[in-house]
Amino acid sequence: FDNSLQLPLFNADGTRWHIFDMLDEQPFTMTLDLVNTRANCSDITIQQNRPGVNYVLIPISSCIHQPDDVTISVTFPLPSHQLSIQLNITGASFVGGIRLCLRGPGQANGTNILHAVNACRLFSTPNQTVSLVTTVSIVLVKVVNQTKPLKVGDESQYDGRWTVTFGE
């Protein structure tokens, strides 16, 4: 048994491991739970802020009032892995906290296994509402494990996953 950390080098033919393509192409969905709010779904828009462009609206997949009647769950697809997203609430609504979730499906393709992403974090301050402008950053790091075969001639197996870190 041998375990070591190594840089992912290109194959001899100049191609890279297929698991990296799978990681780059994994679609993400974000869910924002607005906790302790009186905002309505019609008051909420999501936009992607882009350099040199004002913004691009992102369609909301679903907006659901939870049974507690003070939480709204807004779900939308992310168009890419590197982007700046802004949630806008029109009107005089307050938000007691935000639960942010990032999700992506897993898949298997031959000897490559892409693991699902399901990461959530609650952002709140006791006895306060969320400020008028709140910024949250998410850092994604690719982690790939290569399992070499015991039998000569067999293929290596690659397991890929994203490590998700939430910051404020």
Side-chain angles (χ1 to χ4, degrees), residues 1-2 19 112:
F1 177 76
D2 182 24
I19 191 68
N112 298 291

Side-chain angles (χ1 to χ4, degrees), residues 46-58 79-80 82-88:
I46 307 292
Q47 69 186 46
Q48 176 184 0
N49 296 329
R50 298 169 65 182
V53 178
N54 289 339
Y55 62 87
V56 176
L57 285 176
I58 295 177
S80 66
Q82 294 182 4
L83 70 160
S84 173
I85 295 293
Q86 180 176 323
L87 172 118
N88 300 307

Side-chain angles (χ1 to χ4, degrees), residues 61-124:
S61 303
S62 70
C63 185
I64 301 168
H65 279 271
Q66 298 298 331
D68 61 12
D69 201 33
V70 294
T71 302
I72 293 179
S73 293
V74 180
T75 303
F76 53 94
L78 295 180
S80 66
H81 290 179
Q82 294 182 4
L83 70 160
S84 173
I85 295 293
Q86 180 176 323
L87 172 118
N88 300 307
I89 303 173
T90 57
S93 296
F94 56 87
V95 177
I98 298 171
R99 181 174 177 251
L100 190 149
C101 295
L102 184 67
R103 295 184 175 93
Q107 68 174 340
N109 184 348
T111 59
N112 298 291
I113 299 171
L114 176 63
H115 294 271
V117 173
N118 190 5
C120 296
R121 174 142 181 230
L122 176 66
F123 297 91
S124 68

Side-chain angles (χ1 to χ4, degrees), residues 13-27:
D13 63 0
T15 61
R16 63 183 197 163
W17 297 343
H18 182 63
I19 191 68
F20 287 106
D21 295 330
M22 292 173 68
L23 283 160
D24 290 342
E25 295 165 5
Q26 185 176 28

